[in-house]
Amino acid sequence: MSLALLGIASVIIFPAWVWMKIKQITSSSEEGTQEKYPESLSVLFEEFELTSKPKALYQAFFLLRRLILVTILIFLRHQVFFQCLIISHLSILNLVYLTYFRPFESHSQNRIEIFNEFTVFLSSMTINSFLNGGVELTFREFTGWMLIGISCLNIIVNLLLLGGQTLSDLVGHLHSKWTGHQESMRIQEVFSNWKVFKLKFPQVSKDDFREIKGEFRMREFCREWSSQ
């Protein structure tokens, strides 16, 4: 019993703590400016815009929604209609919030979250049709398949997006490795011979050439020279 009460208290206290921390961080910043969050709280803010409080409070809203969901599933477990009604309204509110404020820094992440929330809303509305006793059995069967289709669509789209992002990161990593390799080859070619180096950098003396090559500062030297 004590563990259950402790769990309920933590579920209530943690969103409140997040809310206060976000309010504390954003209270000193003006509207439209990006506020720097503490390193210890980076997990709460690293993906979100901090230019306004509604955007920064996404995590608090998310936790509050989960708290409401758990509450209605426990205390309204025999009132299925009200469960679906509240879930549908929460989904609509979150969809409006995501569409209007777009709290994530990444535009693609905002679109993904809007899509996911839209599928949640469609699913909740589809489930509501099962509560109507006057609906024909064939229509209920159709809505059941529709619910399966919506769920599969959500899973497939998210898997494709995740796979695309992973592939993009992999290609970027390989391109970076290849670019670094090509740069190393060019540097080795330039520093392989004093005559070749002299043609590339005529203002550098031979003693400096030997010093740079001996201290393995070839890459650093080339970057400093190119930035001048």
Side-chain angles (χ1 to χ4, degrees), residues 43 53 71 111-112 117 133 149 195-196 218:
V43 68
K53 289 182 181 179
T71 302
R111 289 192 290 267
I112 292 171
E117 191 59 47
K195 293 182 179 180
V196 177
M218 297 173 287

Side-chain angles (χ1 to χ4, degrees), residues 175-215:
H175 180 266
S176 177
K177 294 283 288 185
W178 173 253
T179 303
H181 175 70
Q182 292 291 96
E183 183 182 5
S184 298
M185 293 294 291
R186 288 193 297 268
I187 292 173
Q188 290 292 338
E189 182 181 354
V190 170
F191 280 87
S192 62
N193 187 280
W194 162 246
K195 293 182 179 180
V196 177
F197 180 85
K198 190 64 176 178
L199 292 174
K200 186 74 174 178
F201 307 102
Q203 298 178 359
V204 181
S205 65
K206 193 170 185 178
D207 292 335
D208 291 337
F209 165 76
R210 291 173 177 172
E211 181 181 351
I212 294 169
K213 189 175 181 180
E215 295 179 359

